[in-house]
Amino acid sequence: ACFVPGGLDCSISFVSHVLGKVCVHGRQKEILSVLVPRLTDLTKSDCIWQRICWRLVECVPDRWMEAVVPPFVQSAPGADTLSRLLGNLVVTPPKAQFVVTQKVLLLQYCHTTAVLQNLLGYLALDSLRRALLIKVLQELLETWGSSSAVKHSPPEQQQYISKAILICLSHLKEPEIESCRQELLTSMMEGVKCHLDSNLPQIRRLGMIVAESISSKINTDGPVLKFQYEEDDEARELKSLLVQTPPFCVVPGRLDDDRNEKAEAALPLVLESTKKSHTAAPVMPEEESDAELDSDDDLIPYDMSEDKELKTKAPVYIRDCIEVLTGSEDVDKWEATVKALESLVRKNPAATREVSVELAKILLHLEEKTCVEGFVELRQRAQVAVLTTDPIPVAKYLTSQFYSLNYSLRQRMDILDVLVLAAQELSYPKSHGKTKHSGAQKPCTQLLPGSDSSKDWRRIVDERIKSKTRRFATGQSQVEMASGPNEFNSVAGHFFFPLIQHFDRPLTTFDLLGEDHLVLGRLVHTLASLMYLAVNTVAVTAMGKALLEFVWALRFHTDSYVRQGLLSCISSVLLSVPSERLLEDMTEELLETQSWLGDVVEKDPDGDCRRLALQNLLLMENLKKKLKTVPS
Amino acid sequence: MALPPPDPQFVLRGTSAAVHTLHFSCGGQEPDVPILFSGSENGFIHVWNLKTHRVDTALDGHGRKSVYCVETMGGKTRLLSQGRDQRICLWDLAEGRTSVTDSVFTENVGFCRCSLLKVAQGRWLMAMAAKALEEVQVLELPSKMSVCTLKPEVGAKLGMPMCLKLWQLNCGSQPLLLAGYEDGSVVLWNLSMGKALSQLVCHQEPVMSLDFDSEKTKGISGSSEKVLSIWSLNEQQNLQVYKTHKLVNAGISDITIRPDKKILATAGWDHRIRIFGWKKLKPLAVLDYHTATVHCVSFSDHRNPSERLLAAGSKDHRISIWSMYTQT
């Protein structure tokens, strides 16, 4: 016998109202944690209860729909459960559809991947709802492919949308893909372009992964798009979303749950035992066989695979190196020279000084002739060695080349990297110079460190804040560090000012304020580093003033990487310029900067920018406090 | 999967100069300390205590000119050293003394290491490159009397003698000399008659070093090229090439066969020490520790086989000590 819906309608709508009200008041978790499991159980086999459930949610007033449906999606254990609970809710009532398709997917991004899986799986399960799935995918792709969205929306949201796209793709069947193949292709092309244009490596990678996935779906035969990027856990997680695992989980009753658990437990055991048998397979059956063949018995040879021909010797004189690098056809010699150059330069400073600019020129233009391992690093270290051996002329040359015609972006960024590394080396006391070598390798060997430097800065700023506030409590630190003259002092200006001079003068092939915002971002970060390293130099105040003006001119730049760099610049200025000079010579600039920082903290869309701005404000506060407590 | 080559058991540092020659003296009973003698380019002979791995004594007897050969004469109290000051010195090291008891002025400015052979109690024969270009002189020690002078035939064009090895088939039989020359030949000399018994062209380049197994009458020579040459002596006392072995890199400074005739070691210009089985010249290991040419290799004379060591001296001032294949 079936219940007449009539009588139950009224009571259900009352319950819906109660449910809605409770959820709107923020108690979704409590009520749904009781309600959803109960409903899950009840609706497992009883379709009347299913209908009741559907009506329940359907009758929730529109204004509370947003508070009810997402938590439902969240707390349902699986897409098919959600399907039972919600039915075809999303197809008819416009509000529910809006909540599910627009709100959850495009406007919010706080939900977990599981929620996305539930939601999209739910859409995929019924033929009526599949049309919605395709529509949803199209909208997601539109957002994904919009360049303004890529530029202005937070990375977390972009990741969320990417995940949603991947899950949608995983649910689509062949005929569906066929029907919207052209659209997919167009969106993919547009989207890939704006993603690759971004300065943040995370965004670029998201773009690459999604594009690859789309391409693999639409080109099932034939060549697919393949990018090169770092395969870490995040990438793997994203790619795993493309494959839908059949729901072998929770469905029937308690008994089956136990059985499933046992099956799951049995599976890993089986895998482990096979693994063990593999590793146990050992060693040296060679012993026996060899003894028979040879009468040199019980003399077991060692591994001699490393016994290779000795490489050609590298030249011993700097001028010979120049000859080899510019003319020589002998590739072995060229390779050996590249490997030996840095140490030769450091061992022969006098000889290097005679030809420093020439050597710098050669290194800047040096292209990889053979496949030398670590070529980029070797070239960079040689350049740094040359620059630190003869700073003023080489810095002059490099900074002038930075703004010259016909260099590639990579070369310009090389110049920036080399300047920072050399400045780092010069500004550290000699005893540390040796250890800093190995440390200096880390940050700048990648061609595009991207937002890495901002993370470094956060750490450094934190440390410096700590060290400054502790100064009143403790006295001299335990160990007297070796001291020596600051070699960066005499050359800091030569590194810094030429770089900052011409940034607004566009050349035919190089426009910092226009297309080449990547280089601008790197330039800004470089200036921040140089400023930081210029602490205790004579030129630091002039540098600080110039840098604050530079920051002011660029403060509204649309690229978040550039803005992060500008904020790092301010940190460096605040940390490096002595506080007396800051307050006497730069009061106006500081006040203007402070008001800008306040704006950034509140309104900037990028999380990193906001954090940096907040730290800068803290630094400024500390500065004021410090000067108040110290009697002048 | 073959094991990677072992690391040196320990490394002796402190010579502050390239090491040109090594000689072990470990045959003594307890409480005798095992000793390693090393000769360096700065003219010093270091006496290394192999228990403490430190220098016990430094002998300065060649006027700071490179020492390129050291040998013991019956125990570690009597030492023979040869240097580029054109002298061969005999040392008395008993009871802590460090004095040169006698010396021979060779008038030879080459690098050919002399060869010692004990022929009777208290009597040795020593072969060394003589003043004249192609000649080898054999002296009796300690009397320093000349036994013979070995001159190649006129027009033989052998060049300088590069390496020498005195041997006798067994105690009491007549001593013979194997000499490797600058033109790549190895010549077998009869000392009593002063004549060459056989000559074999083993290499295209100068013979840098050779060693000989008198039991099997088989020898091996290395050169500045990439080839090791193994040759044997037949019943008619004729040298014949047995086989050759091609190396990866050119240049061998020293070859030595272990006293038990199981393995041999070569010192390479490519900084590597190579170990081969002696029976079939089976390559056993390539030891890549040194960072410059290895000048010399030497096996120890430990009575206990499990304690046997291999030492290698290099231009990088280090002496590496290895324990290899000691179970056989």
Side-chain angles (χ1 to χ4, degrees):
Chain A
C2 54
F3 285 93
V4 174
L8 289 165
D9 262 353
C10 306
S11 52
I12 293 237
S13 64
F14 171 68
V15 180
S16 306
H17 273 69
V18 169
L19 179 62
K21 195 87 196 221
V22 168
C23 286
V24 140
H25 280 290
R27 296 273 178 228
Q28 307 102 313
K29 239 193 247 169
E30 283 89 338
I31 190 170
L32 287 176
S33 59
V34 174
L35 200 54
V36 171
R38 190 87 180 89
L39 283 174
T40 315
D41 276 343
L42 287 170
T43 53
K44 259 183 207 155
S45 38
D46 192 341
C47 52
I48 297 198
W49 268 107
Q50 282 182 6
R51 277 219 185 84
I52 296 178
C53 189
W54 299 348
R55 283 297 285 172
L56 179 67
V57 185
E58 222 177 321
C59 291
V60 171
D62 275 355
R63 59 187 179 283
W64 296 333
M65 195 63 90
E66 192 183 322
V68 174
V69 175
F72 243 97
V73 178
Q74 241 172 342
S75 41
D80 48 332
T81 320
L82 193 59
S83 176
R84 285 203 313 269
L85 293 176
L86 294 183
N88 280 338
L89 178 66
V90 291
V91 180
T92 30
K95 182 69 184 182
Q97 190 183 81
F98 174 73
V99 168
V100 169
T101 58
Q102 304 281 356
K103 209 82 200 232
V104 175
L105 290 173
L106 295 168
L107 296 172
Q108 305 176 330
Y109 55 94
C110 51
H111 300 288
T112 61
T113 321
V115 170
L116 278 175
Q117 291 271 23
N118 277 357
L119 185 61
L120 296 166
Y122 159 68
L123 286 179
L125 274 174
D126 187 291
S127 51
L128 276 178
R129 304 195 290 262
R130 280 191 92 89
L132 268 183
L133 182 69
I134 299 186
K135 180 159 163 277
V136 154
L137 177 61
Q138 284 168 346
E139 281 175 6
L140 283 171
L141 280 173
E142 212 180 287
T143 314
W144 180 76
S146 127
S147 66
S148 68
V150 174
K151 267 196 213 158
H152 297 293
S153 52
E156 294 81 20
Q157 184 170 27
Q158 299 197 36
Q159 195 181 44
Y160 181 81
I161 293 187
S162 308
K163 280 189 195 170
I165 295 180
L166 291 172
I167 298 175
C168 279
L169 284 175
S170 72
H171 282 293
L172 285 186
K173 299 208 194 80
E174 256 303 307
E176 288 157 338
I177 298 182
E178 263 307 312
S179 61
C180 56
R181 175 174 295 216
Q182 199 49 42
E183 279 178 49
L184 283 177
L185 186 62
T186 328
S187 324
M188 179 186 87
M189 298 305 283
E190 283 178 15
V192 146
K193 183 167 162 293
C194 20
H195 276 84
L196 290 180
D197 216 13
S198 161
N199 280 346
L200 299 171
Q202 197 190 12
I203 305 290
R204 286 199 297 271
R205 194 170 59 169
L206 274 178
M208 289 192 247
I209 294 177
V210 173
E212 272 186 13
S213 316
I214 299 180
S215 154
S216 67
K217 282 284 178 188
I218 60 181
N219 293 330
T220 39
D221 48 338
V224 292
L225 201 53
K226 191 91 185 85
F227 285 99
Q228 259 188 327
Y229 46 79
E230 200 187 312
E231 279 275 351
D232 66 354
D233 288 334
E234 205 185 296
R236 279 191 280 271
E237 190 203 324
L238 281 170
K239 290 216 267 202
S240 68
L241 293 174
L242 254 192
V243 179
Q244 275 297 326
T245 50
F248 76 100
C249 56
V250 224
V251 179
R254 296 285 155 70
L255 283 168
D256 290 311
D257 279 346
D258 288 334
R259 231 184 294 145
N260 274 336
E261 271 178 30
K262 286 211 192 85
E264 278 181 57
L267 213 48
L269 279 175
V270 172
L271 287 171
E272 264 189 49
S273 54
T274 48
K275 258 194 228 160
K276 277 200 194 109
S277 59
H278 279 298
T279 50
V283 197
M284 305 313 174
E286 289 186 23
E287 291 184 31
E288 277 84 19
S289 52
D290 268 345
E292 259 74 34
L293 301 167
D294 254 338
S295 51
D296 270 333
D297 30 352
D298 36 87
L299 290 176
I300 306 160
Y302 288 92
D303 176 34
M304 290 179 274
S305 55
E306 290 302 309
D307 187 18
K308 295 180 209 123
E309 279 189 39
L310 214 49
K311 295 285 161 73
T312 353
K313 281 299 178 65
V316 195
Y317 299 102
I318 300 279
R319 288 184 193 268
D320 286 347
C321 290
I322 295 183
E323 230 180 79
V324 172
L325 290 175
T326 49
S328 167
E329 289 304 320
D330 184 348
V331 277
D332 283 331
K333 214 159 185 188
W334 184 92
E335 244 186 70
T337 309
V338 169
K339 290 189 187 154
L341 189 56
E342 186 206 352
S343 52
L344 274 178
V345 166
R346 290 194 188 272
K347 284 199 200 127
N348 301 292
T352 311
R353 273 188 276 266
E354 290 171 16
V355 290
S356 57
V357 178
E358 197 182 324
L359 203 48
K361 190 168 177 184
I362 294 171
L363 284 170
L364 190 58
H365 293 92
L366 197 68
E367 296 285 330
E368 195 165 350
K369 232 193 223 183
T370 67
C371 189
V372 181
E373 203 180 301
F375 173 76
V376 171
E377 194 190 322
L378 285 169
R379 179 180 58 196
Q380 191 178 67
R381 289 174 70 162
Q383 284 173 306
V384 172
V386 173
L387 182 51
T388 53
T389 311
D390 199 7
I392 298 185
V394 178
K396 212 166 165 186
Y397 171 73
L398 286 177
T399 50
S400 68
Q401 297 306 296
F402 179 73
Y403 284 109
S404 298
L405 287 172
N406 295 332
Y407 278 98
S408 69
L409 291 185
R410 185 227 81 204
Q411 283 170 314
R412 295 190 207 271
M413 294 197 287
D414 257 0
I415 292 177
L416 296 177
D417 283 340
V418 168
L419 285 168
V420 170
L421 286 173
Q424 206 170 16
E425 199 181 305
L426 288 171
S427 60
Y428 273 81
K430 255 311 155 183
S431 60
H432 283 231
K434 289 266 151 82
T435 49
K436 264 305 156 185
H437 257 221
S438 39
Q441 278 175 13
K442 194 200 13 116
C444 291
T445 48
Q446 312 150 273
L447 289 179
L448 304 169
S451 53
D452 272 340
S453 36
S454 73
K455 292 199 184 80
D456 270 341
W457 282 114
R458 210 174 304 145
R459 184 176 44 84
I460 296 177
V461 165
D462 281 340
E463 281 172 45
R464 288 281 278 205
I465 291 180
K466 262 194 283 180
S467 70
K468 285 211 165 190
T469 51
R470 212 189 287 149
R471 206 174 287 161
F472 301 115
T474 56
Q476 191 85 349
S477 53
Q478 302 91 331
V479 179
E480 272 273 337
M481 298 219 283
S483 56
N486 182 348
E487 290 179 30
F488 192 50
N489 182 24
S490 41
V491 301
H494 291 272
F495 278 39
F496 181 84
F497 289 109
L499 282 181
I500 210 175
Q501 258 173 3
H502 301 299
F503 74 93
D504 51 355
R505 234 210 289 153
L507 303 166
T508 358
T509 58
F510 183 49
D511 181 12
L512 270 179
L513 292 180
E515 279 186 346
D516 298 309
H517 48 82
L518 176 61
V519 185
L520 178 65
R522 290 294 300 283
L523 174 64
V524 175
H525 279 274
T526 304
L527 291 171
S529 306
L530 290 177
M531 183 74 231
Y532 177 70
L533 293 167
V535 68
N536 297 332
T537 62
V538 169
V540 70
T541 315
M543 283 167 66
K545 221 166 175 320
L547 194 56
L548 282 180
E549 273 187 39
F550 174 78
V551 167
W552 188 251
L554 288 174
R555 69 193 184 285
F556 291 132
H557 201 276
T558 49
D559 187 308
S560 48
Y561 181 60
V562 172
R563 286 200 306 279
Q564 287 170 14
L566 294 173
L567 292 163
S568 305
C569 286
I570 299 179
S571 308
S572 303
V573 173
L574 292 172
L575 291 171
S576 294
V577 181
S579 22
E580 298 81 13
R581 296 270 69 75
L582 276 175
L583 290 175
E584 280 185 28
D585 298 342
M586 295 187 242
T587 16
E588 265 189 43
E589 287 92 335
L590 283 180
L591 283 173
E592 286 179 335
T593 311
Q594 196 172 32
S595 66
W596 176 57
L597 287 174
D599 258 354
V600 173
V601 171
E602 282 172 36
K603 299 190 199 139
D604 195 296
D606 185 270
D608 283 328
C609 286
R610 292 197 298 272
R611 246 165 292 169
L612 283 170
L614 190 58
Q615 273 176 334
N616 282 331
L617 284 172
L618 277 174
L619 278 176
M620 289 182 127
E621 278 303 311
N622 278 343
L623 193 67
K624 275 198 269 189
K625 260 190 259 171
K626 179 184 168 218
L627 283 160
K628 276 198 208 129
T629 52
V630 177
S632 49
Chain B
M1 257 296 287
L3 292 170
D7 287 328
Q9 200 174 65
F10 51 92
V11 176
L12 301 174
R13 295 164 215 267
T15 54
S16 4
V19 178
H20 283 289
T21 178
L22 292 166
H23 191 88
F24 278 98
S25 180
C26 310
Q29 303 273 33
E30 290 276 337
D32 262 358
V33 177
I35 295 280
L36 173 66
F37 294 98
S38 74
S40 309
E41 199 157 307
N42 57 6
F44 281 95
I45 299 161
H46 293 274
V47 184
W48 297 87
N49 181 327
L50 292 176
K51 283 252 163 68
T52 63
H53 306 175
R54 295 272 206 278
V55 175
D56 273 351
T57 331
L59 307 171
D60 182 9
H62 287 273
R64 303 303 166 89
K65 293 276 170 61
S66 178
V67 175
Y68 58 91
C69 180
V70 281
E71 297 267 353
T72 52
M73 295 167 72
K76 56 177 178 278
T77 54
R78 298 188 48 192
L79 187 70
L80 178 147
S81 66
Q82 185 178 19
R84 297 227 52 223
D85 58 349
Q86 302 175 44
R87 286 200 322 157
I88 294 179
C89 294
L90 297 170
W91 301 76
D92 172 19
L93 302 177
E95 289 152 14
R97 291 190 285 268
T98 59
S99 48
V100 177
T101 52
D102 208 350
S103 66
V104 176
F105 190 50
T106 61
E107 293 180 279
N108 174 276
V109 294
F111 296 86
C112 181
R113 292 179 180 134
C114 63
S115 176
L116 271 181
L117 179 68
K118 184 170 185 179
V119 288
Q121 186 68 334
R123 259 183 14 145
W124 280 268
L125 285 179
M126 181 185 71
M128 61 188 202
K131 183 175 175 195
L133 181 60
E134 294 186 351
E135 286 176 12
V136 175
Q137 197 175 29
V138 181
L139 297 182
E140 194 206 51
L141 290 178
S143 61
K144 300 200 294 191
M145 277 188 348
S146 172
V147 171
C148 62
T149 308
L150 304 170
K151 274 192 269 231
E153 292 165 0
V154 176
K157 290 230 177 100
L158 293 175
M160 299 190 297
M162 304 288 298
C163 45
L164 303 167
K165 175 91 182 170
L166 278 168
W167 63 283
Q168 52 186 176
L169 200 50
N170 29 47
C171 264
S173 59
Q174 53 165 322
L176 297 160
L177 173 69
L178 281 162
Y181 288 87
E182 205 182 339
D183 72 333
S185 325
V186 172
V187 176
L188 177 67
W189 293 91
N190 178 314
L191 294 182
S192 39
M193 293 190 288
K195 272 187 15 178
L197 294 172
S198 171
Q199 178 180 342
L200 179 67
V201 176
C202 302
H203 297 279
Q204 305 301 311
E205 308 246 344
V207 181
M208 301 300 293
S209 174
L210 60 80
D211 203 358
F212 189 69
D213 177 356
S214 48
E215 286 163 32
K216 300 201 193 85
T217 59
K218 208 163 80 171
I220 179 170
S221 60
S223 162
S224 52
E225 53 182 16
K226 280 190 190 177
V227 178
L228 286 175
S229 179
I230 300 96
W231 28 267
S232 63
L233 211 51
N234 62 10
E235 295 80 35
Q236 290 85 29
Q237 308 275 48
N238 276 331
L239 290 166
Q240 343 161 252
V241 173
Y242 179 66
K243 79 199 262 187
T244 57
H245 178 86
K246 190 148 192 276
L247 298 165
V248 172
N249 292 307
I252 294 286
S253 328
D254 198 7
I255 302 186
T256 182
I257 305 175
R258 198 160 76 174
D260 67 352
K261 315 287 195 263
K262 288 260 173 68
I263 61 174
L264 69 99
T266 65
W269 291 1
D270 61 353
H271 319 175
R272 295 172 200 164
I273 303 155
R274 288 159 210 280
I275 312 283
F276 296 88
W278 178 222
K279 274 206 187 115
K280 298 202 155 192
L281 211 74
K282 170 176 156 187
L284 291 175
V286 176
L287 307 173
D288 195 5
Y289 168 76
H290 288 283
T291 53
T293 300
V294 184
H295 284 307
C296 48
V297 276
S298 180
F299 282 102
S300 70
D301 54 348
H302 282 91
R303 281 181 212 261
N304 184 351
S306 61
E307 290 174 4
R308 282 175 304 193
L309 298 169
L310 165 69
S314 163
K315 191 174 166 184
D316 65 6
H317 305 190
R318 297 204 172 77
I319 300 169
S320 55
I321 310 285
W322 310 77
S323 172
M324 312 225 20
Y325 297 110
T326 52
Q327 298 87 1
T328 54

